[in-house]
Amino acid sequence: MIESGELSMKAHGRVTLLKADFFNRDPRRVARALLGKLLIRKTPRGILAGRIVETEAYLGKGDAAAHAAAGRTPRNSVLFGPPGHAYVYFIYGNHYCLNVSCLPDGVPGGVLFRALEPLAGIKQMAEARGIVLVWGRAPSRACPERSRRVQAERSSAVRGGHRNSGSTIPKELDRKNISLLKKISSGPGRLSEALQVTRERDNGKSLVSARSNLQIVDDAYRVQRVVVTTRVGIVKSAEQPLRYFIAGNPFVSGRKL
């Protein structure tokens, strides 16, 4: 695990930006294939990146839990294509969720990003979450005043183009450090906040454009085993096995079975 800067991604070897064709298929196939890929946010302070370890597929028509089930609206229009674009929605009045559109233009479908293993720009991601990084100790959530101050300082630094290499994360993490990092990007709301994702900023944004500041890339990482379960936190169509995660990965959110 490494910190920000151009060398961050080079440390992972050659990476390939995913193309629209990758997403132009059944969301179930996309959700599984996305595991192990890197979700990247480019900022003036450096690259924020995490490995995708948990996803959920939403099928559109016939899937009562999908936002597109009732038909196309101004709110959910991104889900109707073209493929490879960000669909962001606000939930529970306090956090955003990031999805990617799938299937051909005009056909609804998408994949929800549920959890990331943080890899680069970790200090900046922690700041965005209002978390104080203290290695070897349990994570602490900054007090509201401090959180607002950190957010203001982060925003100022981004606008000014300030770069901060921060600290390097130990290559081998003990249980306490893993617990700390899970607070950053384990869960759809957490990962969206860590990557500074909002509906106003990112809804409809291409994730397959070289000019985009939000991308998904392949660094040739290969997943050994995938677990498939029912989705988390839904009531409608809850019996469908449409949640996918990397077996044994400690950054998976929610239940592991």
Side-chain angles (χ1 to χ4, degrees), residues 59 85 94 109 113 121 130 136 144 148 150 164 174 184 204 218 222 231 234 236 251:
L59 308 180
H85 285 68
N94 64 1
F113 298 98
R148 284 193 294 270
V150 168
N164 185 352
D174 59 27
I184 294 176
D218 185 353
R222 292 294 172 259
R231 293 173 293 192
I234 61 172
K236 298 177 180 179
F251 295 93

Side-chain angles (χ1 to χ4, degrees), residues 63-83:
D63 181 358
H67 284 193
R72 188 170 193 154
T73 68
R75 178 174 180 258
N76 68 18
S77 60
V78 175
L79 290 174
F80 287 77

Side-chain angles (χ1 to χ4, degrees), residues 154-200:
R154 179 191 60 75
S155 298
S156 176
V158 169
R159 286 193 300 270
H162 175 66
R163 292 176 65 88
N164 185 352
S165 60
S167 57
T168 300
I169 307 304
K171 291 182 179 179
E172 295 184 2
L173 298 172
D174 59 27
R175 289 174 183 251
K176 289 182 179 179
N177 285 336
I178 289 176
S179 176
L180 186 160
L181 291 171
K182 285 186 69 173
K183 296 291 185 181
I184 294 176
S185 56
S186 180
R190 289 176 176 178
L191 73 85
S192 293
E193 188 174 37
L195 296 179
Q196 305 157 36
V197 170
T198 67
R199 182 172 173 85
E200 181 180 14

Side-chain angles (χ1 to χ4, degrees), residues 83-245:
H85 285 68
Y87 170 57
V88 182
Y89 61 87
F90 195 57
I91 190 170
Y92 303 136
N94 64 1
H95 66 253
Y96 293 96
C97 291
L98 174 64
N99 304 254
V100 60
S101 59
C102 302
L103 296 169
D105 196 5
V107 182
V111 172
L112 169 68
F113 298 98
R114 282 202 55 87
L116 300 177
E117 178 179 345
L119 295 178
I122 294 174
K123 182 178 180 181
Q124 189 177 342
M125 286 193 282
E127 288 177 0
R129 291 270 301 121
I131 291 174
V132 179
L133 294 179
V134 182
W135 300 119
R137 293 173 55 187
S140 61
R141 186 79 175 182
C143 67
E145 253 183 63
R146 173 179 170 77
S147 182
R148 284 193 294 270
R149 185 173 69 253
V150 168
Q151 183 68 20
E153 290 172 353
R154 179 191 60 75
S155 298
S156 176
V158 169
R159 286 193 300 270
H162 175 66
R163 292 176 65 88
N164 185 352
S165 60
S167 57
T168 300
I169 307 304
K171 291 182 179 179
E172 295 184 2
L173 298 172
D174 59 27
R175 289 174 183 251
K176 289 182 179 179
N177 285 336
I178 289 176
S179 176
L180 186 160
L181 291 171
K182 285 186 69 173
K183 296 291 185 181
I184 294 176
S185 56
S186 180
R190 289 176 176 178
L191 73 85
S192 293
E193 188 174 37
L195 296 179
Q196 305 157 36
V197 170
T198 67
R199 182 172 173 85
E200 181 180 14
R201 181 185 188 186
D202 298 303
N203 190 57
K205 179 173 291 181
S206 173
L207 302 183
V208 298
S209 169
R211 297 186 297 274
S212 178
N213 64 5
L214 192 61
Q215 300 174 337
I216 304 173
V217 302
D218 185 353
D219 68 342
Y221 179 87
R222 292 294 172 259
V223 175
Q224 296 300 310
R225 187 165 71 90
V226 174
V227 178
V228 183
T229 74
T230 55
R231 293 173 293 192
V232 177
I234 61 172
V235 177
K236 298 177 180 179
S237 299
E239 74 287 349
Q240 297 194 52
L242 298 174
R243 173 178 174 244
Y244 306 82
F245 62 85

Side-chain angles (χ1 to χ4, degrees), residues 2-79:
I2 47 184
E3 268 302 315
S4 61
E6 293 183 7
L7 292 178
S8 296
M9 300 319 302
K10 290 181 181 179
H12 291 280
R14 185 175 181 179
V15 298
T16 303
L17 178 64
L18 297 187
K19 307 293 185 182
D21 284 348
F22 179 95
F23 302 97
N24 193 19
R25 49 183 172 161
D26 190 306
R28 289 167 289 198
R29 295 183 62 193
V30 176
R32 180 185 286 268
L34 279 172
L35 296 177
K37 304 298 188 290
L38 301 178
L39 180 57
I40 293 173
R41 166 75 85 184
K42 296 178 181 178
T43 80
R45 291 175 62 186
I47 289 175
L48 314 180
R51 192 172 302 286
I52 301 166
V53 300
E54 182 184 0
T55 59
E56 285 181 348
Y58 287 85
L59 308 180
K61 187 177 180 180
D63 181 358
H67 284 193
R72 188 170 193 154
T73 68
R75 178 174 180 258
N76 68 18
S77 60
V78 175
L79 290 174

